[in-house]
Amino acid sequence: MKVVNLKQAILQAWKERWSDYQWAINMKKFFPRGATWDILNLADALLEQAMIGPSPNPLILSYLKYAISSQMVSYSSVLTAVSKFDDFSRDLCVQALLDIMDMFCDRLSCHGKAEECIGLCRALLSALHWLLRCTAASAERLQEGLEAATPATGEKQLALCLQCLEKTLSSTKNRALLHIAKLEEASLHTSQGLGQGGTRANQPTASWTAIEHCLLKLGEILANLSNPQLRSQAEQCGTLIRSIPTMLSVHSEQLHKTGFPTIHALILLEGTMNLTGEMQPLVEQLMMVKRMQHIPTPLFVLEIWKACFVGLIESPEGTQELKWTAFTYLKIPQVLVKVKKYLHGEKDFTEDVNSAFEFLLKLTPLLDKADQRCNCDCTNFLLQECNKQGLLSEVNFAILVGKRTADRDPQLKSSENANIQPNPGLILRAEPTVTNILKTMDADHSKSPEGLLGVLGHMLSGKSLDLLLAAAAATGKLKSFARKFINLNEFTTHGSGESTKTASVRALLFDISFLMLCHVAQTYGSEVILSEASSGEEVPFFETWMQTCMPEEGKILNPDHPCFRPDSTKVESLVALLNNSSEMKLVQMKWHEACLSISAAILEILNAWENGVLAFESIQKITDNIKGKVCSLAVCAVAWLVAHVRMLGLDEREKSLQMIRQLAGPLYSENTLQFYNERVVIMNSILEHMCADVLQQTATQIKFPSTGVDTMPYWNLLPPKRPIKEVLTDIFAKVLERGWVDSRSIHILDTLLHMGGVYWFCNNLIKELLKETRKEHTLRAVQLLYSIFCLDMQQVTLVLLGHILPGLLTDSSKWHNLMDPPGTALAKLAVWCALSSYSTHKGQASSRQKKRHREDIEDYISLFPVEDMQPSKLMRLLSSNEDDANILSSPTDRSMNSSLSASQLHTVNMRDPLNRVLANLFLLISSILGSRTAGPHTQFVQWFMEECVDCLEQDSRGSILQFMPFTTVSELVKVSAMSSPKVVLAITDLSLPLGRQVAAKAIAAL
């Protein structure tokens, strides 16, 4: 007989009572080739026929079950067909459908094209909506039954519904497919205007909002249920459904550890080297580490406090000590206020700060040592500051203060010196003073220069200047502080029609502002002083002088540079003035011109002395004149002499060095201007910093007047006559043994990084890491190395991911280095560095990184060429599987180049060195996974990807994984440890339709 359509074929089978396999054979005869059963809607037709009467037709249902078991029909078509049934009053039909769902709901799969896999996701979402509606209907029936005293039937059906729901949702794979369906549905809403072709239009896709609505309704109905077992089962299902959108953001925190050396080292690094740095990057970096290492908030805050107290104890006396105090009491509380904003999703942050302090108070020896060093109760000051910033509640504040007072060593109280004011108190008082001084400096200088001079004079006494500068630096006001002094300095360069008194006030204002600016540049780095260059504006004198004439570490000046050779008439008149008069004239003196001419004048004077024209006595008189009134002239003279001495032979240096000695000593004369002693102290500290490099290189000594404090505690720390590689391995071994980095080690490592360069530094430290064989040692090494690499994270990351890792992964003779545990550790370190650099490289480099020589971007462009779609030279050499291109078997994916990644669809700028390095590293990973040889390098790739997944936030868009080619996903899933739905969701970019297709295809095939 000729069968016209499916319906007739099914009816004939029923009339003739064919068995299921007979039916299948005949069906294949009727419809020999061409369309698949899904396109003919076989599942739909069978269900429609089976559900005609009040009870289902068992024979036709057996055909459907046979079709499902023999995979004639796809799971998605069956789910879609089931979800169309909505007469929930027909108990037997509903039970039959639940029975069919029960056959396969926990083992869904699809091995077809990407679109079919997305179809399965959609069908599962519809089926979930149907199950929820069915459950709600059953629960309503049960409620009515209870009222009519016939509960048995309703209860049985509700139990079946919940059982099926639970079975569907307990599979992580199903929840992952639902996660994709939800995102797919959301993107369809946004592009609703676009035509939706093919199977999409006729599929009744449920929306996520409808599902949430059903959940609420179900909750209301079940709240009145007396059966606790059914109620808890329903609640469990509800929880699982609600967890689907946030599947990726659940991370367990490390509760078995108490010390986190990375946070400790980061705080020490910032406090020692970057007090002026902006707060936001520091907060972001700390939060990044907290997330990557899963650190609980109370322990995270505790580690910050511990580092602050260690810094207070070990910081060298003088400026460094004040910097640390300002960092601890002014900057860190502000940092925590910002952290609080970041963590708004967590429970009350003040409780976490309170817990952190409770832990801290148990470390009595640490706190006592800090108290002894600072001559006060340090913790008390800190608690007050946190209370003021709203980080502690009043109740907790009072309890903590009481506890510390009780625990404190009684001898400390008696040994406190009442005559010495403690630094924390001074710093906290200096902060409002900074604001007042800034206001004073805003006034018109010409109106009351004497009043202004009084304020500045007061700033110079004792350690006031360093206190104020530290407070300004820690609160981010140092830049505007410096700006005000530059404006003041500029204002004092010209004087017209002035009396002797006004001339001397002007000279003093010029001198004090000049010395302060030099001091700021040397203590906090010259970036603080430089203004953002705006075209057309004249650059202030001090900025010009600092950039061209001021010696700094690592800056070599040319003594014959035009900036040292001003107008010869001015030079001659200055030489005459210095040589002939008994003291400097002040009236109508153009101080900036004198400062620029002094270098050439000194050269003239030196030549005259060398040639015997001037005697030593004349030289003494000249140097006394230079430093007698205005110390800035001496600073400018020494700045040039330092550059000059570098160029001279060993036997020619004597007179120049003698002149520096003459300028460095103070002048004992009655006839000096106001605040002379205070200005000389600052001048000497400036000269000592200027001469340090040159004196070391020429092996000379100059005795600068001592203030009793080492003004350059972190200078010249490298041991002489030892190869720097030995110093590096030695210091790293010590740091590793101790388990934390101290500020002295940070400075030595920074010097080594300058000397050896980034590649040398990174390569040797990675070699040290790969030597470690004990698991706990390697983990500690990674935590410490990450914080050491923060000295210049961007450059280190480029070297690590662009040179060192590819070298290890492509050279089979080095593969043995990648075994566990050092291999796992290196993978962890690489991911941490990549994530940190990638998240911050859109921002600005911190001031301590700007000083360093940048590796040329061109190096990276030649190593990794620019054609975005094409793998680089490096990749073509590495790729061993050109012949078996991994191509997703879907028409939209056919054109897909094996290196296409989400970053190209997001059009990420591939001229950026970090982006290129990441793209190439992931191409290399892809080729390793696809190659025919496995080994430690394959294992390394697995660890690398696991760490990426572990460190990710919810939604990987914009993370480093966007550089991974889409084809890598199908290769990764073959690695047993990576074949989990959550991993697939984490590594694909689900914000892109192609990303969702790739993920659905990989998960459906698991």
Side-chain angles (χ1 to χ4, degrees):
M1 67 160 273
K2 174 111 180 89
V3 174
V4 181
N5 62 16
L6 259 184
K7 194 172 174 181
Q8 283 179 328
I10 294 167
L11 287 173
Q12 188 189 348
W14 175 65
K15 278 178 196 161
E16 297 179 12
R17 300 288 189 275
W18 293 347
S19 66
D20 48 15
Y21 65 89
Q22 216 178 342
W23 166 80
I25 293 167
N26 288 336
M27 288 298 278
K28 285 171 186 167
K29 280 182 192 162
F30 292 153
F31 301 95
R33 258 188 324 278
T36 63
W37 299 112
D38 274 3
I39 289 178
L40 291 169
N41 275 339
L42 176 60
D44 233 5
L46 282 168
L47 266 183
E48 197 182 324
Q49 293 304 316
M51 297 294 164
I52 286 173
S55 66
N57 181 323
L59 186 62
I60 297 181
L61 276 187
S62 73
Y63 297 161
L64 178 59
K65 287 178 183 174
Y66 188 87
I68 293 169
S69 306
S70 59
Q71 294 188 349
M72 280 171 74
V73 289
S74 68
Y75 292 132
S76 58
S77 68
V78 178
L79 289 171
T80 308
V82 168
S83 58
K84 285 178 184 170
F85 182 83
D86 54 4
D87 185 358
F88 296 121
S89 60
R90 290 151 65 188
D91 289 357
L92 294 169
C93 291
V94 170
Q95 282 171 24
L97 291 175
L98 289 172
D99 198 32
I100 286 171
M101 290 261 304
D102 199 53
M103 282 174 66
F104 59 81
C105 67
D106 56 347
R107 50 188 179 83
L108 294 176
S109 63
C110 172
H111 296 275
K113 297 172 184 168
E115 281 90 346
E116 291 169 25
C117 299
I118 288 282
L120 176 62
C121 296
R122 286 206 187 87
L124 183 58
L125 192 66
S126 300
L128 175 65
H129 188 214
W130 180 83
L131 271 173
L132 285 170
R133 279 164 48 221
C134 184
T135 312
S138 311
E140 275 176 342
R141 296 265 310 279
L142 171 61
Q143 223 171 356
E144 288 160 15
L146 283 171
E147 286 157 16
T150 53
T153 48
E155 194 157 317
K156 184 184 170 200
Q157 187 162 323
L158 179 59
L160 279 172
C161 286
L162 286 172
Q163 199 181 330
C164 191
L165 252 182
E166 196 169 20
K167 194 171 176 183
T168 308
L169 291 167
S170 57
S171 142
T172 316
K173 177 174 171 177
N174 286 356
R175 294 203 303 278
L177 293 171
L178 286 165
H179 184 82
I180 294 172
K182 176 184 179 294
L183 294 170
E184 187 70 18
E185 178 231 349
S187 80
L188 275 181
H189 275 308
T190 51
S191 59
Q192 204 73 57
L194 309 171
Q196 299 162 9
T199 55
R200 296 187 189 180
N202 54 30
Q203 276 187 7
T205 308
S207 75
W208 191 256
T209 37
I211 284 178
E212 286 175 334
H213 186 70
C214 270
L215 264 182
L216 286 172
K217 186 179 163 193
L218 189 59
E220 285 164 17
I221 299 168
L222 291 173
N224 309 322
L225 256 194
S226 56
N227 185 330
Q229 192 188 348
L230 289 179
R231 212 169 47 223
S232 77
Q233 210 177 352
E235 279 166 11
Q236 213 173 342
C237 293
T239 312
L240 281 171
I241 293 174
R242 288 188 187 95
S243 74
I244 289 171
T246 56
M247 271 185 83
L248 292 177
S249 57
V250 186
H251 279 303
S252 57
E253 294 190 326
Q254 295 198 33
L255 298 169
H256 58 283
K257 284 180 62 183
T258 52
F260 298 93
T262 313
I263 297 286
H264 192 104
L266 265 180
I267 293 291
L268 276 169
L269 181 73
E270 282 291 313
T272 313
M273 299 187 125
N274 200 21
L275 180 61
T276 51
E278 282 179 32
M279 256 175 250
Q280 197 55 31
L282 171 60
V283 173
E284 280 167 18
Q285 195 167 25
L286 287 170
M287 292 311 292
M288 184 100 192
V289 174
K290 181 182 186 304
R291 195 175 68 243
M292 292 192 301
Q293 298 187 12
H294 311 312
I295 306 175
T297 310
L299 296 180
F300 167 74
V301 178
L302 171 67
E303 201 60 55
I304 293 176
W305 291 140
K306 271 163 50 179
C308 286
F309 276 95
V310 169
L312 285 175
I313 293 166
E314 63 158 27
S315 57
E317 251 184 282
T319 317
Q320 287 299 331
E321 191 182 359
L322 296 175
K323 278 184 172 184
W324 255 110
T325 315
F327 181 72
T328 305
Y329 289 94
L330 296 177
K331 192 167 187 175
I332 291 295
Q334 290 296 334
V335 166
L336 288 179
V337 169
K338 284 190 184 293
V339 167
K340 183 178 176 178
K341 286 180 190 153
Y342 256 77
L343 296 173
H344 52 78
E346 289 197 17
K347 68 175 184 19
D348 193 7
F349 184 64
T350 51
E351 279 308 308
D352 289 329
V353 174
N354 182 46
S355 309
F357 271 118
E358 282 174 356
F359 290 135
L360 183 69
L361 292 186
K362 290 176 184 163
L363 306 174
T364 316
L366 175 76
L367 303 184
D368 284 352
K369 202 166 170 59
D371 285 1
Q372 191 183 352
R373 170 78 201 267
C374 296
N375 188 40
C376 66
D377 186 347
C378 296
T379 324
N380 200 338
F381 278 113
L382 196 53
L383 289 168
Q384 283 174 25
E385 202 52 29
C386 290
N387 184 29
K388 198 165 83 184
Q389 299 294 348
L391 295 167
L392 276 177
S393 65
E394 287 293 340
V395 182
N396 289 340
F397 168 66
I399 296 170
L400 291 166
V401 169
K403 185 162 174 20
R404 174 62 188 145
T405 314
D407 291 351
R408 204 169 168 230
D409 184 350
Q411 287 181 332
L412 283 170
K413 187 76 190 144
S414 55
S415 63
E416 276 179 21
N417 186 342
N419 301 328
I420 302 174
Q421 286 189 300
N423 286 338
L426 290 170
I427 277 287
L428 291 169
R429 287 211 300 280
E431 191 218 358
T433 317
V434 170
T435 321
N436 293 338
I437 289 175
L438 288 175
K439 280 183 193 153
T440 312
M441 301 278 292
D442 278 334
D444 185 354
H445 304 317
S446 55
K447 284 189 180 147
S448 62
E450 287 90 352
L452 184 59
L453 184 58
V455 174
L456 297 189
H458 187 67
M459 277 175 68
L460 295 180
S461 60
K463 53 181 182 183
S464 300
L465 179 62
D466 283 328
L467 266 170
L468 291 165
L469 292 179
T475 50
K477 295 182 183 135
L478 192 60
K479 223 174 168 58
S480 58
F481 210 71
R483 264 281 52 75
K484 302 271 192 299
F485 278 104
I486 284 183
N487 296 341
L488 172 64
N489 185 266
E490 202 61 10
F491 162 75
T492 55
T493 48
H494 300 283
S496 52
E498 57 184 2
S499 65
T500 320
K501 184 164 188 257
T502 43
S504 67
V505 170
R506 187 170 65 85
L508 277 168
L509 288 175
F510 175 84
D511 198 33
I512 292 172
S513 55
F514 187 95
L515 293 171
M516 277 189 182
L517 288 165
C518 285
H519 183 61
V520 169
Q522 287 180 339
T523 317
Y524 294 99
S526 46
E527 310 75 34
V528 182
I529 282 169
L530 298 178
S531 54
E532 280 68 41
S534 53
S535 54
E537 272 187 41
E538 200 182 323
V539 183
F541 153 71
F542 185 82
E543 273 188 53
T544 317
W545 180 84
M546 185 182 75
Q547 284 176 292
T548 48
C549 313
M550 181 171 160
E552 286 179 279
E553 190 184 353
K555 178 163 132 189
I556 306 294
L557 297 171
N558 169 13
D560 299 327
H561 189 275
C563 72
F564 292 122
R565 296 275 165 277
D567 179 6
S568 55
T569 51
K570 288 178 185 166
V571 176
E572 280 167 26
S573 61
L574 183 62
V575 173
L577 183 67
L578 291 172
N579 194 18
N580 302 333
S581 61
S582 56
E583 58 179 53
M584 282 297 279
K585 77 166 185 142
L586 301 172
V587 180
Q588 307 232 343
M589 185 72 176
K590 291 184 176 171
W591 292 112
H592 63 297
E593 286 183 4
C595 284
L596 290 172
S597 312
I598 191 87
S599 47
I602 293 281
L603 179 61
E604 297 285 321
I605 293 162
L606 263 179
N607 286 339
W609 188 15
E610 296 272 354
N611 298 323
V613 177
L614 287 175
F616 182 61
E617 286 71 31
S618 314
I619 298 295
Q620 262 181 318
K621 181 183 145 195
I622 289 172
T623 52
D624 284 353
N625 264 344
I626 292 176
K627 68 187 179 193
K629 297 281 184 201
V630 176
C631 299
S632 322
L633 280 179
V635 172
C636 296
V638 173
W640 178 79
L641 281 165
V642 164
H644 181 64
V645 168
R646 276 181 199 273
M647 306 298 168
L648 299 176
L650 201 59
D651 48 346
E652 300 166 329
R653 293 178 182 153
E654 187 44 47
K655 286 196 163 57
S656 301
L657 289 168
Q658 183 124 17
M659 199 156 207
I660 294 178
R661 277 194 196 95
Q662 287 293 320
L663 288 165
L667 175 69
Y668 302 105
S669 148
E670 297 300 309
N671 198 7
T672 53
L673 289 176
Q674 227 178 332
F675 308 121
Y676 185 68
N677 295 340
E678 290 87 345
R679 286 182 292 135
V680 165
V681 171
I682 300 176
M683 174 185 86
N684 282 323
S685 133
I686 293 168
L687 298 186
E688 193 174 347
H689 276 85
M690 276 184 178
C691 301
D693 270 1
V694 122
L695 296 182
Q696 186 190 19
Q697 286 156 9
T698 56
T700 345
Q701 279 188 325
I702 290 182
K703 191 90 181 96
F704 289 93
S706 169
T707 52
V709 172
D710 181 3
T711 50
M712 301 179 66
Y714 292 125
W715 188 75
N716 194 14
L717 294 173
L718 291 188
K721 297 182 183 169
R722 273 191 75 192
I724 55 172
K725 186 176 175 196
E726 262 180 46
V727 180
L728 182 68
T729 50
D730 207 35
I731 195 118
F732 182 63
K734 278 184 191 154
V735 161
L736 191 56
E737 190 183 347
R738 245 203 328 257
W740 55 282
V741 191
D742 61 317
S743 49
R744 190 169 183 278
S745 308
I746 287 175
H747 278 272
I748 295 178
L749 288 162
D750 191 46
T751 312
L752 291 168
L753 176 57
H754 270 286
M755 270 190 178
V758 183
Y759 180 79
W760 172 88
F761 185 77
C762 185
N763 193 29
N764 282 312
L765 285 174
I766 295 296
K767 280 180 188 166
E768 292 305 302
L769 171 66
L770 294 176
K771 285 180 197 166
E772 290 298 331
T773 50
R774 289 180 57 183
K775 195 162 188 172
E776 61 272 27
H777 278 188
T778 52
L779 182 63
R780 190 195 296 171
V782 167
Q783 294 177 328
L784 291 165
L785 275 176
Y786 171 81
S787 51
I788 289 168
F789 286 170
C790 285
L791 284 166
D792 195 349
M793 184 55 86
Q794 292 292 324
Q795 293 294 308
V796 167
T797 306
L798 289 176
V799 162
L800 178 62
L801 305 184
H803 298 278
I804 295 172
L805 277 190
L808 287 167
L809 290 171
T810 51
D811 182 349
S812 53
S813 65
K814 291 179 183 166
W815 285 351
H816 65 278
N817 290 322
L818 298 174
M819 305 285 257
D820 191 35
T824 331
L826 180 58
K828 205 181 254 305
L829 181 64
V831 172
W832 288 2
C833 290
L835 284 173
S836 299
S837 291
Y838 190 72
S839 69
T840 58
H841 87 300
K842 305 175 197 76
Q844 293 304 306
S846 81
S847 58
R848 66 166 186 274
Q849 291 168 0
K850 285 182 196 157
K851 297 175 197 166
R852 195 159 290 124
H853 157 71
R854 290 270 143 272
E855 255 156 73
D856 195 356
I857 287 183
E858 295 304 316
D859 299 352
Y860 286 93
I861 286 182
S862 61
L863 180 64
F864 310 123
V866 173
E867 304 80 47
D868 289 3
M869 292 300 281
Q870 175 205 356
S872 66
K873 281 183 289 195
L874 172 75
M875 285 313 309
R876 290 202 296 282
L877 295 172
L878 304 176
S879 186
S880 57
N881 58 333
E882 298 283 282
D883 45 338
D884 55 78
N886 311 321
I887 293 171
L888 285 158
S889 56
S890 122
T892 54
D893 309 334
R894 270 288 137 67
S895 60
M896 196 163 110
N897 173 319
S898 65
S899 70
L900 179 67
S901 67
S903 61
Q904 286 157 353
L905 298 178
H906 288 309
T907 58
V908 169
N909 168 22
M910 291 312 275
R911 283 192 164 276
D912 179 279
L914 183 62
N915 292 351
R916 331 178 59 68
V917 164
L918 283 166
N920 278 278
L921 180 65
F922 277 108
L923 280 171
L924 171 56
I925 282 175
S926 190
S927 84
I928 287 172
L929 285 169
S931 73
R932 297 188 182 87
T933 50
H937 62 309
T938 333
Q939 183 75 54
F940 176 86
V941 165
Q942 181 197 318
W943 291 324
F944 184 88
M945 294 307 296
E946 279 175 357
E947 191 58 35
C948 281
V949 172
D950 193 43
C951 291
L952 270 189
E953 287 178 283
Q954 168 84 29
D955 174 25
S956 60
R957 174 176 179 162
S959 97
I960 58 171
L961 283 171
Q962 64 176 331
F963 294 98
M964 181 181 70
F966 286 119
T967 48
T968 312
V969 179
S970 53
E971 292 295 339
L972 255 184
V973 178
K974 293 173 190 169
V975 181
S976 60
M978 301 300 280
S979 59
S980 90
K982 275 193 175 181
V983 168
V984 177
L985 288 182
I987 59 180
T988 40
D989 186 339
L990 299 174
S991 64
L992 293 170
L994 186 55
R996 291 193 292 274
Q997 285 179 24
V998 168
K1001 189 170 176 355
I1003 292 171
L1006 284 175

